[in-house]
């Protein structure tokens, strides 16, 4: 009988990944090993980019269930939506739905570069 991972389990894993990041600037990789958080950003960016092009795009569940990937994709998606919000008409709840795919991808590029800069700066301060 296989164990189903609950939302609570995922939240705990992401919390542990966040704690690891706070301590080491690393997150858990596919095999649970510590990897630099900025090395996950391109994978998270690719995932978001694929969902921009096809909202039904699927990601390898092994990658998507990795706490480090989940944490980084959360950070990147927040930054991406903030960038989209600046371009969308005021008062729109889902700005990404009112922008072209090209505009969304430009926001994503900017958000990914900003996230990598923030992670790198944090490493220099620690």
């Amino acid at each position: 009988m296989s164990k189903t991972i609950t939302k609570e389990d995922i939240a705990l894993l992401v919390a542990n990944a966040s704690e690891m990041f706070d301590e080491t600037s690393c997150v858990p990789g596919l095999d649970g090993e510590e990897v630099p958080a900025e090395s996950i950003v391109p994978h998270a960016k690719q995932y978001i980019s694929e969902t921009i092009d096809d909202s039904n795009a699927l990601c390898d569940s092994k990658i998507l269930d990795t706490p480090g990937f989940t944490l980084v994709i959360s950070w990147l998606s927040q930054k991406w939506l903030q960038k989209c919000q600046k371009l969308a008409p005021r008062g729109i709840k889902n700005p990404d739905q009112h922008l072209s795919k090209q505009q969304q991808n430009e926001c994503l590029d900017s958000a990914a570069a900003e996230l990598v800069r923030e992670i790198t700066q944090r490493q220099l301060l620690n």
Side-chain angles (χ1 to χ4, degrees), residues 71-118:
L71 181 62
V72 173
I73 202 165
S74 171
W75 292 338
L76 183 56
S77 62
Q78 288 174 24
K79 288 196 170 298
W80 169 60
L81 288 174
Q82 289 170 355
K83 301 281 184 187
C84 289
Q85 186 74 44
K86 291 178 182 176
L87 290 179
R90 293 204 179 272
I92 300 295
K93 288 189 178 192
N94 297 317
D96 54 308
Q97 295 176 355
H98 296 279
L99 301 176
S100 70
K101 289 180 181 183
Q102 180 181 351
Q103 289 172 310
Q104 291 180 55
N105 277 307
E106 289 169 358
C107 290
L108 181 58
D109 290 342
S110 176
E114 183 178 314
L115 181 58
V116 168
R117 271 192 311 275
E118 288 177 6

Side-chain angles (χ1 to χ4, degrees), residues 7-19:
K7 289 183 181 182
E8 292 81 17
D9 292 336
I10 292 170
L12 181 60
L13 291 171
V14 171
N16 289 339
S18 182
E19 185 177 316

Side-chain angles (χ1 to χ4, degrees), residues 51-66:
T51 61
I52 290 170
D53 294 334
D54 178 7
S55 62
N56 295 321
L58 297 176
C59 183
D60 181 353
S61 63
K62 183 177 179 183
I63 294 171
L64 198 53
D65 291 341
T66 303

